[in-house]
């Protein structure tokens, strides 16, 4: 089975800075990592390959430097990596990103299963996975916590919901997004790291995947960010003095006085 895992490079730090003029994240000088949720998708793809055979290809869209992050995934056990990199992709929202990734998957061809992390930690939209499936015209399952069975023509999995989980069967090819409960990602092996060091990361431009210019980048993004900002932290503290008993009593009086309880 040919398996594709879509991954994203995200800022490593939680100290996110925003450019007030462009309303975009400031990425210069900020270390990047593979989106943590995507690591679970890569691990699950490798486990499926180990059971059923086939290949695992990781696919990402981003700047040229994202290629180095993909080597880590080859070290884990992915067979190869493809990076969609082109200035034409700049400014893509989730819909434009999904169009590009779907075109990349179509170029790979004969893909039986696509995996994604449930969401990216920098956007938290959880939209790209389902949008890729819609672009490709295939079924999808979100929030998968366990793959129970996978065959040539179908997949049975458990997907989380607010009340527990559902056991669902869908035909292949299909796309699933996974949650962290599905597995524990492995560390790259020494042999894998040596292979990753020598690996050639394939780069495709927008023209090479036949992406529609009207559906990528800012032109292809129906979502426009008018304004983005970090709220100012406003804290009002109160210090209680005296013995521990007096401080506790003062705290209780303050809580009762404000009608918190």
């Amino acid at each position: 089975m040919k398996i594709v895992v879509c991954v994203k490079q995200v800022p490593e730090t939680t100290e996110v800075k925003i450019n007030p003029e462009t309303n975009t994240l400031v990425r210069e000088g900020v270390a990047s990592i593979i989106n943590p949720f995507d690591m679970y998708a890569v691990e699950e793809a490798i486990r499926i390959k180990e059971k059923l055979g086939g290949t695992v290809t990781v696919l990402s869209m981003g700047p040229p430097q994202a290629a180095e992050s993909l080597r880590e995934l080859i070290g884990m056990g992915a067979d190869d990596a493809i990076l969609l990199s082109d200035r034409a992709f700049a400014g893509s929202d989730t819909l434009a990103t999904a169009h590009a990734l779907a075109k990349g998957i179509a170029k790979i061809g004969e893909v039986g299963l696509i995996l994604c992390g449930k969401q990216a930690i920098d956007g938290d939209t959880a939209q790209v996975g389902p949008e890729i499936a819609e672009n490709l015209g295939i079924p999808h399952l979100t929030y998968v916590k366990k793959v129970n069975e996978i065959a040539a023509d179908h997949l049975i999995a458990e997907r989380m919901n607010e009340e527990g989980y559902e056991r669902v069967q869908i035909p292949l090819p299909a796309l699933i997004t996974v949650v962290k409960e599905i597995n524990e990602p492995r560390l790259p092996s020494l042999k894998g790291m040596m292979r990753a060091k020598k690996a050639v990361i394939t780069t495709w431009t927008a023209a090479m995947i036949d992406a529609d210019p009207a559906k990528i980048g800012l032109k292809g993004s129906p979502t426009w960010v008018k304004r983005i900002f970090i709220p100012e932290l406003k804290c009002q503290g109160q210090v209680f003095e005296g013995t521990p008993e007096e401080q506790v009593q003062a705290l209780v009086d303050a809580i009762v006085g404000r009608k918190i309880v």
Side-chain angles (χ1 to χ4, degrees), residues 28-105:
E28 291 75 12
V30 179
S32 296
I33 59 172
I34 294 295
N35 177 49
F37 287 114
D38 297 343
M39 298 297 286
Y40 298 98
V42 174
E43 173 64 27
E44 192 63 24
I46 295 171
R47 293 188 183 192
I48 293 172
K49 182 188 77 168
E50 290 172 343
K51 292 179 181 178
L52 304 177
T55 60
V56 173
T57 299
V58 290
L59 175 67
S60 184
M61 187 180 87
Q65 57 265 32
E68 290 306 309
S69 295
L70 299 180
R71 294 186 186 278
E72 177 185 354
L73 307 180
I74 293 178
M76 284 177 62
D79 294 282
D80 57 1
I82 299 171
L83 176 65
L84 307 183
S85 188
D86 193 317
R87 292 187 66 86
F89 296 134
S92 294
D93 67 359
T94 61
L95 195 64
T97 298
H99 172 76
L101 291 172
K103 284 292 187 178
I105 293 168

Side-chain angles (χ1 to χ4, degrees), residues 18-24 218 221-229:
I18 297 170
N19 185 323
E21 295 182 0
T22 62
N23 289 319
T24 58
L218 287 173
S221 300
T223 304
W224 289 70
V225 179
K226 183 177 181 181
R227 179 170 177 256
I228 188 170
F229 62 94

